[in-house]
Amino acid sequence: MENERCLDLKYAKLSKAGEIIEMLCICLGVFLIPLFLPKLLTIVFGKTSVIASNSQYVVGSVVNTLLIIAGVNANGWKKVLGIVTLPSISALFGGLVLKASSVYTMYMIPAIWIGNFAIIYLYRYLFVKKNLNYIVTSAIAIITKCAAIYAGFNLLVLVNIVPNGSKVFTSLNIAMGMNQLVTATIGAVIAFGIIITMKSKKVSE
């Protein structure tokens, strides 16, 4: 029951219309960004550009920003579970974020869902409910998310679904390791600016 109450908390109160707009923006963002942003970056900057060739960092940073905002302000199990599952489903359907390794995304989905849920829940529990410092909360939430996802990857290596030492292994090792840490950290920095705005709105009310 305490866990359910925790997920019902909100950092900033919004009107009913505001809540609907917030949820639409988050849900559409976490689903459509992995699907279309890599193509858009390729069109705008060119296929060989640094930005387009590292689009997974851009996509991951934006998605993590939205996950953290959901962590502080999207209440209820149904909303949270929907936000948790959408990014990986989008990446699987589009086959864009991991490119040649996208076939293995299917096997990584449970670990990605656990990682996404962890970062949302820990921001809600530590930052919103317990009023823990944002930086400390971010460190705990990011490390937990990255550990869950990287543990899932290592399990696939252990059971030989991902062959150790192969090109796929190298690609996924980066995508599920360092990539997760970098994009979650950038997402936390971007989200902080949005959360400050929420706080000023909260105080003014």
Side-chain angles (χ1 to χ4, degrees):
M1 292 299 293
E2 182 181 352
N3 291 342
E4 290 180 8
R5 288 196 295 271
C6 177
L7 286 177
D8 284 334
L9 295 173
K10 289 177 73 68
Y11 183 73
K13 291 182 180 179
L14 299 173
S15 65
K16 193 66 178 177
E19 287 184 4
I20 293 171
I21 292 170
E22 179 187 57
M23 277 305 301
L24 281 174
C25 289
I26 292 174
C27 289
L28 287 174
V30 295
F31 184 76
L32 295 178
I33 285 168
L35 203 57
F36 295 112
L37 187 56
K39 281 185 177 179
L40 181 60
L41 293 175
T42 299
I43 292 170
V44 173
F45 296 100
K47 189 175 181 179
T48 59
S49 68
V50 174
I51 293 176
S53 59
N54 291 281
S55 62
Q56 69 271 25
Y57 289 99
V58 180
V59 170
S61 298
V62 176
V63 168
N64 274 292
T65 300
L66 294 172
L67 288 175
I68 293 168
I69 297 304
V72 301
N73 225 46
N75 63 325
W77 275 99
K78 291 180 181 178
K79 293 178 183 178
V80 168
L81 291 178
I83 294 165
V84 161
T85 57
L86 285 173
S88 54
I89 291 173
S90 175
L92 178 63
F93 285 165
L96 298 173
V97 175
L98 298 181
K99 297 184 172 123
S101 302
S102 61
V103 65
Y104 293 92
T105 306
M106 179 177 65
Y107 298 110
M108 283 300 308
I109 281 180
I112 293 170
W113 284 352
I114 292 169
N116 287 347
F117 180 79
I119 199 168
I120 288 176
Y121 182 81
L122 287 170
Y123 270 95
R124 180 65 49 85
Y125 182 76
L126 297 175
F127 182 68
V128 178
K129 184 175 182 180
K130 297 297 184 180
N131 293 311
L132 190 64
N133 177 274
Y134 183 83
I135 294 175
V136 177
T137 297
S138 296
I140 294 170
I142 289 167
I143 290 169
T144 304
K145 176 186 176 177
C146 294
I149 293 175
Y150 198 65
F153 165 68
N154 278 284
L155 180 61
L156 295 185
V157 175
L158 184 65
V159 298
N160 208 33
I161 291 176
V162 176
N164 196 345
S166 65
K167 288 183 179 180
V168 169
F169 170 86
T170 303
S171 175
L172 284 175
N173 189 40
I174 296 170
M176 301 302 165
M178 184 57 67
N179 179 286
Q180 297 295 327
L181 182 61
V182 170
T183 57
T185 302
I186 294 172
V189 172
I190 298 171
F192 182 66
I194 299 171
I195 289 167
I196 288 175
T197 304
M198 286 182 181
K199 185 176 182 180
S200 64
K201 175 179 171 53
K202 191 176 173 185
V203 170
S204 66
E205 291 175 347

